[in-house]
Amino acid sequence: MAARLPVGYDLGYFNPTTRSKAVSGGTAGDDKAYAVRGMYDMGNVLHAEVSYGKSEQAGGYATEDYSVLDVAASYKIQGATLKAEYIDAKNVKGVDGKDQIVWYLHAGYQVTPMYETVVRYYQGNDDLSDTSLSNTFVGLNVYLNPAKKYASRIQLNYVFASGDTDTWAGLGGYTDDAILAQYQVAF
């Protein structure tokens, strides 16, 4: 059996990415989207990746191209999981100068095989409106079959919203505190 290389890449050439919240236009057959991603894995301990993408005429005919740079990493050791991600988006929905930066930090700890505590902090900044939004998640993951950890789980979170919650003009995020419950299968 051949050894698996710790590095990898993806290349993509697509129709416009209109299912993305950041892209609302583009004409199939005329406008294109491009993406490239490089990855590094050190077993189940460390995963890191860098990606870049572009979607032409992101707001429809005669609008700007959308581009995005994403850098992410996750690290696992002795029941603890640490993750971080940085996303820098330019010309959201094809609007010149509507740039948004989002980053997050995540810490999880496996208290027992069935229960994992999680704290996650998101920060978003929208340049055009000069607004920012923060979301802090405090949660618990319940693994329904601990022997097969990634088979199914219930996620319970409380989200604290802060920043420009009344005027936030960027994509995504919670502008009010929220209670979330989610069931995941095969993640």
Side-chain angles (χ1 to χ4, degrees):
M1 178 170 13
R4 182 174 173 243
L5 293 175
V7 295
Y9 66 90
D10 294 315
L11 299 171
Y13 178 74
F14 313 96
N15 281 318
T17 56
T18 54
R19 72 182 180 142
S20 164
K21 280 186 168 185
V23 177
S24 61
T27 305
D30 291 332
D31 299 318
K32 305 292 182 266
Y34 314 86
V36 60
R37 176 174 64 169
M39 297 165 283
Y40 174 79
D41 282 304
M42 192 172 77
N44 195 29
V45 176
L46 175 68
H47 172 81
E49 61 182 62
V50 176
S51 61
Y52 176 81
K54 183 175 183 176
S55 192
E56 296 176 346
Q57 298 194 62
Y61 180 71
T63 60
E64 297 296 318
D65 295 347
Y66 166 75
S67 65
V68 62
L69 172 68
D70 187 315
V71 179
S74 66
Y75 180 73
K76 297 177 186 178
I77 189 166
Q78 297 177 354
T81 301
L82 304 173
K83 298 178 184 179
E85 186 169 12
Y86 173 85
I87 302 168
D88 188 352
K90 305 287 186 205
N91 303 325
V92 172
K93 294 195 177 189
V95 177
D96 187 25
K98 184 163 179 60
D99 302 337
Q100 189 170 330
I101 292 174
V102 177
W103 58 271
Y104 83 83
L105 298 173
H106 165 105
Y109 185 73
Q110 197 76 38
V111 179
T112 71
M114 190 170 188
Y115 299 105
E116 178 183 34
T117 58
V118 175
V119 176
R120 184 178 274 198
Y121 177 81
Y122 284 89
Q123 175 67 44
N125 299 300
D126 182 77
D127 288 351
L128 194 61
S129 66
D130 194 27
T131 58
S132 65
L133 181 68
S134 300
N135 287 166
T136 303
F137 288 64
V138 177
L140 179 68
N141 292 331
V142 180
Y143 294 93
L144 301 178
N145 184 355
K148 294 182 179 181
K149 183 174 179 181
Y150 299 103
S152 64
R153 72 178 173 188
I154 296 172
Q155 291 180 285
L156 304 170
N157 287 287
Y158 189 85
V159 182
F160 298 92
S162 59
D164 298 316
T165 57
D166 292 334
T167 57
W168 172 242
L171 295 179
Y174 292 94
T175 56
D176 291 308
D177 291 357
I179 297 173
L180 307 175
Q182 175 178 314
Y183 175 69
Q184 276 188 304
V185 178
F187 53 93

